[in-house]
């Protein structure tokens, strides 16, 4: 019964996400099968976790489970309706040679590697004490977290104010199987990983225009320790890879809209960007970066479209902050007050922070040669006056630059704070670095001066 319940729980997540992906897609161009798979899981998990969080205010137990299940099925019906009305799903193989199609089997390599490694790895540290702990607490409380959970000072070290995307996806499984089984919810992590790899393949395929480059991009994580199974990451129940996947989904969709003129990807990008604050607090920084990229892509004359792009993220981040404020949530005093005086006082930290960040970026045991390749790719794209270079550079450099600030004001020992978190912050933009390599390899058509002056498509 546990296996059947697990299959149903996972299937319903895919069902909800399938419907959402097709609802968001616009235009006559088909959506790629790899995009459907990746978006179905990421968007489905967002729908399930958000429905459990909102529905849990008034319902619990079987009533909450039934409400969320009906929502998933309703979205599935809407997705099927979209297909019947002409929405198309394509493989992405059009125009490719037979040998290129065979290279797609390489995509299975990182996924299989992750599955094998995950099978013998237990949930650990933050994956256990922050994310799974929330799911367990909600399950034991009938399906929702009581207000006392957020205000209890004894739980402050478990960061109760962190968002609920991953914990309530785990809760969804717990509600279906009727138990807090950590071994069972480990099944979710390879699916999240597979979704990220699928989106990496799809994004590289669309932007490079070559299937073999997409396959090469998707298999690259095998050779990149912190993008596969090394260190504390998704394999231990952390959510930084989830954040990286959603950030990549939004950015690659936005870049595809800008460079390829596919209108359907604009709506996908806006919603994925809006979901970033629901995954982790750093999602606000990544969301802000995407708004900047969107503003540049739209141009100043289309500022209203940038505002529309930002609205989902503003709504999600604002709603979560409002909810925490309304229940009197306690926060851990990790950072000093962000004042000019504190900044000036802590300026000597800047050299240490930057040196540690650069050392970690170019650490071969952690990242192999990814960041050397990404740097070379950006230089090549800039040299050939390819406008993709600007968007990729912003998507990588802006978040990393902003991440310097919290370390400037941390109350925790600076060395310890850097060592325990810097790699996970770099991980959040690492998939975009892989995309930069793919775009450079694919030689995206360089933009002439006339193309630079052309107004970007509106996407609406």
């Amino acid at each position: 019964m546990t296996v059947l319940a697990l299959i149903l729980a996972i299937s319903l997540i895919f069902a909800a996400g399938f419907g959402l992906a097709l609802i968001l897609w616009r235009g006559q161009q088909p959506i790629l099968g790899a995009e459907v798979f990746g978006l179905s899981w990421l968007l489905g998990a967002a729908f399930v976790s958000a429905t459990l969080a909102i529905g849990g205010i008034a319902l619990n137990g079987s009533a909450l489970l039934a409400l969320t299940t009906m929502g998933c099925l309703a979205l599935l019906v809407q997705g099927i309706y979209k297909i019947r009305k002409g929405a198309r799903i394509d493989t992405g193989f059009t125009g490719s040679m037979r040998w290129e199609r065979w290279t797609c089997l390489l995509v299975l390599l990182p996924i299989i590697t992750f599955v094998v490694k995950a099978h013998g790895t237990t949930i650990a540290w933050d994956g256990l004490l922050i994310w799974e702990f929330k799911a367990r607490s909600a399950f034991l409380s009938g399906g929702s977290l009581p207000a006392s959970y957020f205000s209890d000072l004894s739980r402050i070290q478990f960061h109760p104010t962190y968002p609920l995307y991953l914990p309530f996806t785990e809760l969804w499984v717990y509600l279906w199987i009727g138990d807090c089984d950590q071994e069972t919810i480990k099944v979710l992590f390879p699916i999240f990983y597979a979704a990220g790899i699928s989106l990496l393949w799809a994004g590289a395929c669309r932007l490079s225009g070559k299937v073999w480059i997409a396959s090469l991009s998707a298999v690259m994580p095998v050779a990149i320790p912190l993008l596969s199974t090394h260190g504390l990451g998704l394999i231990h129940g952390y959510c930084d890879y989830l954040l990286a996947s959603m950030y990549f989904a939004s950015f690659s969709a936005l870049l595809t809209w800008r460079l390829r003129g596919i209108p359907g990807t604009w709506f996908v990008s806006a919603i994925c960007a809006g979901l970033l604050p629901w995954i982790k607090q750093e999602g606000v920084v990544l969301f802000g970066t995407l708004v900047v990229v969107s503003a540049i892509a739209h141009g100043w004359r289309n500022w209203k479209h940038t505002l529309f792009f930002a609205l989902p993220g503003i709504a999600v981040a604002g709603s979560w902050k409002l909810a925490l404020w309304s229940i009197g949530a306690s926060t851990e005093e990790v950072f000093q007050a962000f004042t000019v005086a504190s900044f000036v006082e802590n300026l000597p930290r800047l050299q240490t922070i930057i040196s540690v960040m650069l050392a970690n970026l170019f650490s071969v045991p952690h990242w192999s040669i990814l960041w050397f390749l990404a740097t070379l790719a950006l230089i090549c794209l800039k040299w050939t006056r390819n406008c993709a270079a600007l968007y990729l550079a912003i998507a990588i450099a802006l978040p990393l630059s902003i991440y310097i600030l919290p370390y400037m004001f941390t109350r925790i020992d600076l060395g310890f704070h850097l060592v325990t978190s810097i790699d996970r912050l770099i991980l959040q933009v690492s998939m975009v670095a892989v995309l930069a390599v793919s775009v450079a390899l694919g030689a995206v058509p360089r933009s002439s001066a006339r193309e630079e002056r052309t107004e970007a498509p509106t996407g609406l």
Side-chain angles (χ1 to χ4, degrees), residues 203-260:
C205 184
R206 286 199 182 278
L207 290 165
S208 71
K210 297 179 176 62
V211 172
W212 71 268
I213 293 179
S215 300
L216 178 63
S217 302
V219 81
M220 276 182 68
V222 169
I224 303 170
L226 286 180
L227 260 179
S228 54
T229 60
H230 175 72
L232 293 173
L234 179 61
I235 199 167
H236 293 92
Y238 286 48
C239 72
D240 298 279
Y241 183 86
L242 278 59
L243 201 62
S245 297
M246 193 72 80
Y247 182 57
F248 177 85
S250 179
F251 175 76
S252 64
L254 186 61
L255 197 59
T256 299
W257 166 79
R258 177 62 182 87
L259 299 183
R260 300 303 188 209

Side-chain angles (χ1 to χ4, degrees), residues 307-392:
L307 178 60
F308 291 147
F309 182 91
L311 282 178
I314 294 172
V316 171
S319 298
W320 181 240
K321 287 292 185 182
L322 180 61
L324 293 175
W325 173 81
S326 65
I327 59 178
S330 302
T331 56
E332 189 176 4
E333 296 297 330
V334 177
F335 301 104
Q336 304 171 13
F338 283 50
T339 64
V340 175
S342 297
F343 180 78
V344 173
E345 181 184 351
N346 294 327
L347 267 178
R349 296 182 177 188
L350 189 59
Q351 181 179 359
T352 301
I353 297 168
I354 293 176
S355 63
V356 171
M357 180 175 285
L358 290 175
N360 279 266
L361 271 172
F362 297 100
S363 169
V364 174
H366 288 180
W367 298 104
S368 186
I369 59 172
L370 171 63
W371 291 102
F372 295 97
L373 292 176
T375 302
L376 180 61
L378 291 174
I379 292 172
C380 291
L381 289 170
K382 177 61 177 176
W383 183 266
T384 57
R385 300 178 62 192
N386 192 309
C387 65
L390 174 63
Y391 302 117
L392 288 161

Side-chain angles (χ1 to χ4, degrees), residues 9 121 157 235 300 399 424:
T121 305
Q157 60 185 331
I235 199 167
W300 297 114
R424 286 187 281 125

Side-chain angles (χ1 to χ4, degrees), residues 41-91:
W41 184 252
L42 293 183
L43 295 178
F47 174 80
V48 165
S49 59
T51 304
L52 289 175
I54 297 170
I57 297 173
L59 302 173
N60 57 31
S62 58
L64 180 60
L65 192 65
L67 172 68
T68 310
T69 298
M70 287 189 292
C72 293
L73 294 176
L75 288 172
L76 174 62
V77 170
Q78 185 62 29
I80 295 172
Y81 174 77
K82 287 276 291 185
I83 290 179
R84 293 182 61 124
K85 293 293 288 185
R88 294 180 296 138
I89 300 175
D90 190 32
T91 61

Side-chain angles (χ1 to χ4, degrees), residues 2 48 117 135 191 199 241 336 456:
T2 298
V48 165
K117 182 69 175 179
I191 304 176
L199 290 170
Y241 183 86
Q336 304 171 13

